[in-house]
Amino acid sequence: MEIPLSYPSPSGTGGRSYPQPPPPPGASAGQGSGGGGGNKALVVAVVFLGFAVLVAAAVVFFTMGRGAEGEGSPDASQEDAQGSGGESGGGQDGGQDDAAAEDDAGQEPQDTVVFDDELTVEVASPQSYIDLDTDPPLVTDARVDGYDFVLRPNINGVAFENSSGGIAPLPEGAEAPDKAACLDAVETNGTTGADFTPGARFCVQTDQGRVASVEAVSSPGGTGTATLQATVWE
């Protein structure tokens, strides 16, 4: 036999009472009160993450700005240009110096000419003296120390003489010799005298060791005016 249960009826329900439904599974008793705390933690986390992102972006922007400033600096570009220009210029100068040294090595030294002109000699008796070591050469009818040759009138016209054997007549019609050819002629064919006739050429070694080439431009038939072309090398 069932015994009916009776509950005190709250006011205004007409004497009936209804039990409260049980809570859903997994729901905790403090869910209502803890919801506000979870929302606050989420907001704090979002704010912190946003701040961290801003800081990281600022660092990256600052770093990129410094790098661009260093690359685009006019001073740095100018220094690089000057450095590269100096290196290329140094290499070019070095190449020019080497080329000049090679050219100098390949060229023979030039003979130094100390006199190259005509001389007029008054052929007098007994003889006229010519010294090619002076500048200009000395022509006199008085004997001087260190003279290099004499022009002396004789029965054949005019004699070209040097008592020490320092003259060498060149073949008729020969071209004007250079210093080396003249020195070789004196060393191999040196003599004390020859006829001074128009067109004749001679090589002479002077008292001071210089070398000279002498050509008879004109010659008198004894005493008179003779003209000669003289080239003297140091």
Side-chain angles (χ1 to χ4, degrees):
M1 181 178 182
E2 294 182 358
I3 300 175
L5 299 178
S6 62
Y7 301 92
S9 59
S11 62
T13 60
R16 294 184 180 182
S17 62
Y18 299 92
Q20 295 292 329
S28 60
Q31 182 177 4
S33 62
N39 292 335
K40 291 181 180 180
L42 179 60
V43 171
V44 172
V46 171
V47 171
F48 179 78
L49 180 60
F51 179 75
V53 171
L54 290 176
V55 171
V59 171
V60 172
F61 179 79
F62 179 76
T63 303
M64 292 178 64
R66 289 296 299 273
E69 180 182 355
E71 292 177 357
S73 174
D75 294 339
S77 300
Q78 185 176 3
E79 291 176 358
D80 293 342
Q82 291 177 352
S84 60
E87 292 177 359
S88 61
Q92 183 178 3
D93 292 341
Q96 292 177 351
D97 292 342
D98 294 341
E102 291 178 359
D103 292 341
D104 292 341
Q107 294 179 353
E108 295 182 358
Q110 298 294 322
D111 297 331
T112 302
V113 177
V114 295
F115 181 82
D116 186 15
D117 204 350
E118 284 190 353
L119 290 175
T120 300
V121 180
E122 292 298 325
V123 181
S125 181
Q127 56 196 12
S128 299
Y129 298 86
I130 296 92
D131 183 2
L132 298 177
D133 287 318
T134 63
D135 186 16
L138 175 64
V139 179
T140 178
D141 58 358
R143 181 183 178 91
V144 292
D145 293 334
Y147 72 90
D148 298 312
F149 62 89
V150 299
L151 291 180
R152 182 175 59 83
N154 61 15
I155 59 175
N156 296 322
V158 177
F160 185 90
E161 296 178 343
N162 182 314
S163 59
S164 64
I167 65 174
L170 298 176
E172 184 177 352
E175 295 182 356
D178 58 11
K179 178 181 178 180
C182 253
L183 182 59
D184 181 68
V186 171
E187 292 177 347
T188 57
N189 300 315
T191 184
T192 58
D195 292 335
F196 189 81
T197 57
R201 292 180 181 274
F202 309 89
C203 286
V204 179
Q205 187 164 25
T206 71
D207 178 69
Q208 296 183 16
R210 294 183 175 89
V211 180
S213 170
V214 177
E215 178 184 0
V217 178
S218 65
S219 177
T223 60
T225 302
T227 303
L228 56 90
Q229 173 71 36
T231 302
V232 184
W233 293 284
E234 185 60 59

